[in-house]
Amino acid sequence: AQTVTQSQPEMSVQEAETVTLSCTYDTSESDYYLFWYKQPPSRQMILVIRQEAYKQQNATENRFSVNFQKAAKSFSLKISDSQLGDAAMYFCAYRSPYSGGGADGLTFGKGTHLIIQP
Amino acid sequence: KAGVTQTPRYLIKTRGQQVTLSCSPISGHRSVSWYQQTPGQGLQFLFEYFSETQRNKGNFPGRFSGRQFSNSRSEMNVSTLELGDSALYLCASSLGPDRGTTGELFFGEGSRLTVL
């Protein structure tokens, strides 16, 4: 079974600065999806960014980018120009692709609580 | 486009009772999955449905069950409630298990279950 580890329970950053959230995972598969989800205090989980394992190029979505190191099984999220609205729990998640054998849903890390200091 | 809708948002039950939670996916999405979120265990996969069939099930006891209807709406049921079942139950929908999809899940706001 796959596992996802987020080693930072909580991170704090000054507004407008850059912060990097860490995520490592363990899998024997070669093809998979990786995600960062954001869960604000209102609780709805929102997709921040997605990475397909077969793509070597790191995904970028505006101020959010990832550093995907497949060999190291590392998938960190960088948030540039942090804003107060970025304050939330951030979850790293792994998903197997549908390849005939079914999938086990998303495997989540424990999450990182990101605090933005004004 | 309406998002994933979960009802009820909050509910309180007592031990031994049963509960049914409902989830309406995004229009056009045929896959629905359920997750349990607790402070101690984090987010755990319960099960996934596609075309009214359970495709996968997480490591939960048989007291947890679900179903999906022909309109893709889904319900999950927990029987003989225990204190440890207190949690936020999240439903997520996606297009379906086809290669070439993004694998992205869209989540509802969740149903907060408290068991007394």
Side-chain angles (χ1 to χ4, degrees), chain B residues 22-83:
Chain B
S22 179
C23 173
S24 294
I26 291 172
S27 178
H29 285 192
R30 298 185 299 162
S31 179
V32 173
S33 52
W34 290 88
Y35 293 82
Q36 182 195 64
Q37 185 175 23
T38 59
Q41 298 298 319
L43 284 148
Q44 293 184 287
F45 172 70
L46 280 157
F47 28 65
E48 180 177 14
Y49 288 87
F50 174 74
S51 292
E52 303 178 64
T53 301
Q54 186 181 87
R55 287 179 49 84
N56 290 290
K57 183 174 168 61
N59 189 25
F60 279 82
R63 300 184 297 105
F64 291 81
S65 63
R67 58 178 176 168
Q68 186 181 35
F69 302 95
S70 59
N71 62 357
S72 294
R73 190 177 70 86
S74 177
E75 289 181 348
M76 67 163 283
N77 183 77
V78 187
S79 63
T80 319
L81 284 166
E82 300 177 0
L83 296 179

Side-chain angles (χ1 to χ4, degrees), chain A residues 78-93:
Chain A
K78 185 172 82 170
I79 305 174
S80 303
D81 186 25
S82 298
Q83 301 176 0
L84 294 178
D86 295 334
M89 283 292 291
Y90 285 81
F91 293 95
C92 179

Side-chain angles (χ1 to χ4, degrees), chain A:
Chain A
Q2 295 82 19
T3 59
V4 177
T5 302
Q6 292 179 249
S7 59
Q8 306 153 317
E10 186 172 279
M11 291 282 285
S12 182
V13 64
Q14 290 288 130
E15 194 175 3
E17 292 188 346
T18 296
V19 63
T20 298
L21 308 184
S22 301
C23 172
T24 59
Y25 57 94
D26 188 27
T27 183
S28 58
E29 299 175 317
S30 59
D31 192 17
Y32 45 86
Y33 299 113
L34 294 167
F35 305 90
W36 278 98
Y37 278 91
K38 169 185 177 182
Q39 189 178 39
S42 64
R43 301 188 318 221
Q44 186 166 24
M45 199 86 69
I46 303 167
L47 178 69
V48 174
I49 200 163
R50 171 186 61 246
Q51 175 82 41
E52 289 94 337
Y54 68 88
K55 292 184 177 179
Q56 294 186 346
Q57 186 174 5
N58 289 326
T60 299
E61 289 288 341
N62 300 315
R63 297 183 296 107
F64 299 87
S65 62
V66 298
N67 183 5
F68 173 49
Q69 301 290 327
K70 190 173 184 179
K73 296 179 183 175
S74 172
F75 183 60
S76 61
L77 173 70
K78 185 172 82 170
I79 305 174
S80 303
D81 186 25
S82 298
Q83 301 176 0
L84 294 178
D86 295 334
M89 283 292 291
Y90 285 81
F91 293 95
C92 179
Y94 173 104
R95 188 176 196 194
S96 297
Y98 287 99
S99 56
D104 297 325
L106 284 172
T107 301
F108 286 92
K110 292 291 189 184
T112 297
H113 181 210
L114 179 63
I115 298 168
I116 311 294
Q117 296 185 359

